[in-house]
Amino acid sequence: MTAPLRPRADLATHEVFNQPEPRDSVALWEGDGPLRAAVARLAPDEAPALARYAAAWGAPEAVEDGRAANRFAPELRPFDRAGRRIDEVAFHPAYHTLMRRGLEGGYAARAWSGAPGGHVAHAAMVYMSTQIEPGVCCPMTMTYAAVPALRATPELAARWEWGALSGRYDPASRPAPEKAGLTFGMAMTEKQGGSDVRANTTRAARDGEGWRLTGHKWFCSAPMSDAFLTLAWTDKGLSCFLMPRWTPDGTRNAFQLMRLKDKLGNKANASSEIEYHGAWAELVGEEGRGVNAILEMVHHTRLDTAVAPAALMRRALDEAAWWARGRSAFQKRLIDQPLMTAVLADLALDWMGALAAAMRVAAAFDAAERDPAERAFARIAVALAKFWSNKRCPVVAYEAMECLGGAGYVEESPMPWIYREAPLNSIWEGSGNVICLDILRTMARAPQAVDALLGELRGARGADRRYDAALAEAEAALSRGPHESEARWIAERLALLLQGSELLRHGDGAAADAFCRTRLGGDWGRTHGALPQGVDAARIAALI
């Protein structure tokens, strides 16, 4: 027998060196000083629970669950083995584990517990969960956001709200009364209308105490939800309905999954195309005022789409900083190379601004019930935060990926899924132009929202001359009334002012100074890292 070949020690070619030490967990709480500081200021009593939530989501097994849920896509199963129509979706076990971890940790229910800081805690949970696997966040976010929409119709809330607030995850496909917990979805968009929901063609007809829906919906995320808020026309106009997966008599509803969307990212979430074939439903709110009824749900999902880009930026930066601290070139660690330090610091300004604005908006959601000014502020500020933070997210994700070089471009790294995920939240719940037009409409129809926003921004006046100049310019534009063609410009300026005001009052001094100098003062290049002299890049990069 021939002896096996053994490599000669003097010819070994695979010695691993100049690589960061491997890590299999993510320090979602203890490694994120700006998050901890925001929670300490806005919802201090929530800190212990959030630390536990972070430990569960950042643990090695959760990180691995995130990878598996993203890698093994859900599968459509329209029929059972005997040919009966079931219209179900099969998920990898990791998806269910993450859903259970989130819902039982309070993701959907905490905001409605009545405790001070509930929405801040919810926002922090969204922020941390998104860094591990954002696909499962969609059904949990919609479950959270369905609660205020249900409360508009007390008799519906009495029968359904318990499921969203149960703190239990029950993936079984069976009638709602037989389950330990429920999830909720939403289906508004039709292919001919897109964001113009009044172009929808789905119809609703009376059937005793309920209604029957007939139509086609172009996008329905989380189609295994137990019930869906959806729009359809009646004789009185576009109306909102709650359509359960199972009818009150215990039979499957006439709700068919046509196909699952093959998306750029968000792979774990089974976005679908659906049809109603006389599906049974109940009216939500007032007949003919469906847009108003469902906007309560949209308003709250927008909070999460304002938080998510901050989360993706944070995870991308965390990976880039880990790489830069563990790898050397030209006899220096990458993190100590001045140009790399400048790139990371510049990226950190976008992340910190996005996080600061999102948490301030979440605090306004908490205060909205008792303070009309905070309710008005939340209405416009959530749109501003969603618009601008999502515009920055893909740029930050790409630049952070480049910090890793080729190692960031392979699927073993989290950078590819972060990059694919980065555009989503700008598109979901109103793309950029839709959000900007909504901001203009709010300015015209709810002047109290503008007053509340300006009151907030003026609270930071006097802290930085560049901030003051940018605020004066924005105030002048608002006083003359921006034209529709200027909608993106005014949204961008107001969003940057909102971020700047939070950093000036509550953030790191060096970061606030650099933010105002670059984002508001215009002393900035056209790529990340093109910072002017005098910016304390090393201090800012150390905050990552």
Side-chain angles (χ1 to χ4, degrees), residues 17 165 193 319 327 371 390 406 495:
F17 63 98
L165 304 184
E319 292 293 323
R327 191 166 171 84
D371 187 339
N390 280 298

Side-chain angles (χ1 to χ4, degrees), residues 250-541:
T251 59
R252 293 179 185 271
N253 212 345
F255 158 80
Q256 294 187 0
L257 303 183
M258 309 311 292
R259 59 173 172 167
L260 300 186
K261 299 291 191 178
D262 187 6
K263 299 169 295 185
L264 172 66
N266 206 245
K267 295 292 189 179
N269 182 29
S271 300
S272 62
E273 196 169 333
I274 65 172
E275 286 186 354
Y276 304 139
H277 293 265
W280 188 89
E282 295 183 89
L283 185 67
V284 178
E286 184 181 345
E287 186 180 351
R289 295 183 58 81
V291 174
N292 298 69
I294 209 166
L295 276 181
E296 271 300 314
M297 188 173 186
V298 172
H299 180 58
H300 286 79
T301 56
R302 279 187 180 174
L303 172 61
D304 290 16
T305 59
V307 173
L312 294 170
M313 286 189 262
R314 167 63 194 174
R315 180 68 194 277
L317 270 172
D318 183 51
E319 292 293 323
W322 166 75
W323 183 262
R325 291 184 179 113
R327 191 166 171 84
S328 299
F330 310 111
Q331 291 76 53
K332 279 186 180 180
R333 291 190 311 162
L334 293 183
I335 193 74
D336 297 323
Q337 303 279 359
L339 191 52
M340 178 63 82
T341 306
V343 170
L344 291 172
D346 206 359
L347 293 169
L349 296 178
D350 282 329
W351 155 59
M352 286 187 285
L355 176 61
M359 297 304 281
R360 173 63 185 94
V361 171
F365 274 61
D366 276 320
E369 287 297 320
R370 62 182 183 274
D371 187 339
E374 284 291 279
R375 183 165 59 251
F377 170 76
R379 178 175 175 179
I380 192 169
V382 72
L384 293 170
K386 170 181 161 36
F387 171 71
W388 181 243
S389 296
N390 280 298
K391 291 302 178 190
R392 301 306 297 160
C393 187
V395 185
V396 171
Y398 151 71
E399 198 70 62
M401 179 190 289
E402 189 173 293
C403 291
L404 277 69
Y409 200 67
V410 297
E411 293 291 345
E412 289 174 305
S413 159
M415 305 306 272
W417 74 253
I418 295 171
Y419 185 65
R420 289 192 294 267
E421 191 75 23
L424 173 62
N425 290 283
S426 187
I427 296 169
W428 189 33
E429 301 302 16
S431 56
N433 282 355
V434 172
I435 294 295
C436 289
L437 293 174
D438 188 45
I439 290 168
L440 289 191
R441 279 193 296 271
T442 299
M443 291 177 180
R445 299 176 185 176
Q448 66 272 24
V450 179
D451 293 341
L453 176 65
L454 289 177
E456 176 77 15
L457 300 181
R458 288 165 182 160
R461 195 158 51 187
D464 186 281
R465 60 177 176 79
R466 294 151 303 196
Y467 176 88
D468 293 350
L471 177 57
E473 181 185 22
E475 288 178 316
L478 290 172
S479 66
R480 63 173 167 76
H483 186 267
E484 183 178 313
S485 62
E486 299 176 285
R488 284 196 174 216
W489 178 87
I490 194 64
E492 177 181 320
R493 300 308 289 173
L494 291 173
L496 285 169
L497 284 164
L498 177 59
Q499 292 185 0
S501 71
E502 284 297 297
L503 292 176
L504 283 169
R505 287 183 288 185
H506 308 297
D508 176 83
D513 175 76
F515 186 94
C516 291
R517 184 173 176 181
T518 56
R519 274 65 174 170
L520 296 174
D523 192 3
W524 195 23
R526 289 178 173 81
T527 60
H528 279 100
L531 293 174
Q533 283 191 334
V535 169
D536 193 347
R539 176 180 175 83
I540 298 167

Side-chain angles (χ1 to χ4, degrees), residues 27-95:
L28 295 171
W29 180 258
E30 65 272 20
D32 195 331
L35 173 64
R36 295 197 313 276
V39 171
R41 186 176 74 256
L42 300 171
D45 292 344
E46 298 289 346
L50 290 172
R52 292 192 296 271
Y53 190 91
W57 274 85
E61 57 270 23
V63 175
E64 185 54 39
D65 285 338
R67 287 178 58 86
N70 192 276
R71 180 180 177 188
F72 299 102
E75 296 180 359
L76 176 61
R77 293 183 178 172
F79 303 96
D80 68 11
R81 62 184 295 178
R84 300 179 186 90
R85 188 106 202 184
I86 58 173
D87 294 288
E88 293 185 358
V89 178
F91 296 91
H92 188 274
Y95 173 91

